[in-house]
Amino acid sequence: MENVKSILSRKINLPEIKEVALWAKEGIENKAILLQLARSDERLTSVNALWVMTHIDQPESQWPGSFRDILTDTLLSESDTAKKRMLLQLLRGMEYEPDTIRTDLLDYCLTKINSECETYSIRAFSIYIALKMCLHYPELAAELLERLSMMSHQALSPGLICARNKAIAEISKLNEKDNGH
């Protein structure tokens, strides 16, 4: 494949995205290069690299070492809406066990849920990620439920309503299980 950086530094289309994604699946070294390009200071390069990453359906274990931490650190310092959306999309696809929860990511997500200055997609992805983390701890699930209930006073998109309702349903199932019903 020609120089991946040169491909990702220009406007590209979906077939090219899929071609780079196939290349990245060939090995962890390729994924490490892609991850490095996703953190590029050149916006187009980083957006395209993240776009490619959203087309790679492989478990976190097949990515370089601290993949989740790198994505999280990048998200927490990012201001570009498109990049935040794709980073959250990637983080949403991961599993969160009690010992892998980062409180700074949880705080970020809880803050974004009711932030009307954020896009609906960022708010919805934040709900899904916060839910995965909060389900391990009843007190955090209760806090998330409280934040979700505050959304009823806001104008919401259908997608955001769906994310909120799914999260409320999951928390309700957890509460029923904990109460022995």
Side-chain angles (χ1 to χ4, degrees):
M1 168 168 268
E2 79 175 82
N3 184 349
V4 174
K5 184 176 181 181
S6 67
I7 294 171
L8 297 178
S9 66
R10 59 180 168 76
K11 188 173 180 176
I12 57 178
N13 56 34
L14 190 56
E16 291 170 308
I17 290 291
K18 290 180 178 183
E19 181 181 332
V20 176
L22 281 173
W23 166 83
K25 287 181 181 181
E26 292 174 1
I28 201 155
E29 301 82 20
N30 295 357
K31 289 185 194 87
I33 292 168
L34 188 60
L35 187 55
Q36 181 182 1
L37 292 170
R39 300 181 78 198
S40 170
D41 290 332
E42 297 172 22
R43 182 184 184 278
L44 188 56
T45 300
S46 61
V47 166
N48 285 339
L50 287 167
W51 190 18
V52 168
M53 291 167 68
T54 65
H55 284 82
I56 300 173
D57 187 24
Q58 290 187 331
E60 185 179 353
S61 62
Q62 294 184 18
W63 284 86
S66 55
F67 178 61
R68 181 188 314 210
D69 285 335
I70 292 169
L71 292 179
T72 300
D73 291 340
T74 305
L75 172 68
L76 296 176
S77 63
E78 190 54 64
S79 60
D80 185 281
T81 301
K83 292 182 196 179
K84 288 192 295 187
R85 179 182 40 78
M86 288 184 280
L87 288 162
L88 286 165
Q89 180 181 351
L90 291 164
L91 288 165
R92 178 190 177 194
M94 298 180 183
E95 294 303 318
Y96 295 88
E97 296 303 322
D99 59 337
T100 63
I101 294 173
R102 281 189 48 175
T103 56
D104 52 354
L105 177 59
L106 178 58
D107 290 341
Y108 176 92
C109 291
L110 290 173
T111 302
K112 298 301 179 190
I113 288 170
N114 283 306
S115 177
E116 292 185 78
C117 62
E118 292 292 347
T119 64
Y120 290 136
S121 60
I122 288 173
R123 294 172 67 192
F125 282 134
S126 294
I127 289 171
Y128 288 122
I129 294 168
L131 177 66
K132 284 185 171 189
M133 291 187 269
C134 290
L135 285 178
H136 297 289
Y137 301 98
E139 60 278 5
L140 289 177
E143 181 179 345
L144 176 58
L145 189 59
E146 183 178 320
R147 290 178 186 254
L148 295 170
S149 68
M150 289 189 287
M151 294 175 77
S152 63
H153 305 291
Q154 302 172 9
L156 304 175
S157 71
L160 199 49
I161 291 169
C162 180
R164 183 193 66 187
N165 290 346
K166 284 183 178 182
I168 290 171
E170 283 293 316
I171 294 169
S172 295
K173 284 183 203 173
L174 175 70
N175 289 340
E176 287 175 11
K177 184 176 122 184
D178 286 347
N179 292 333
H181 294 113

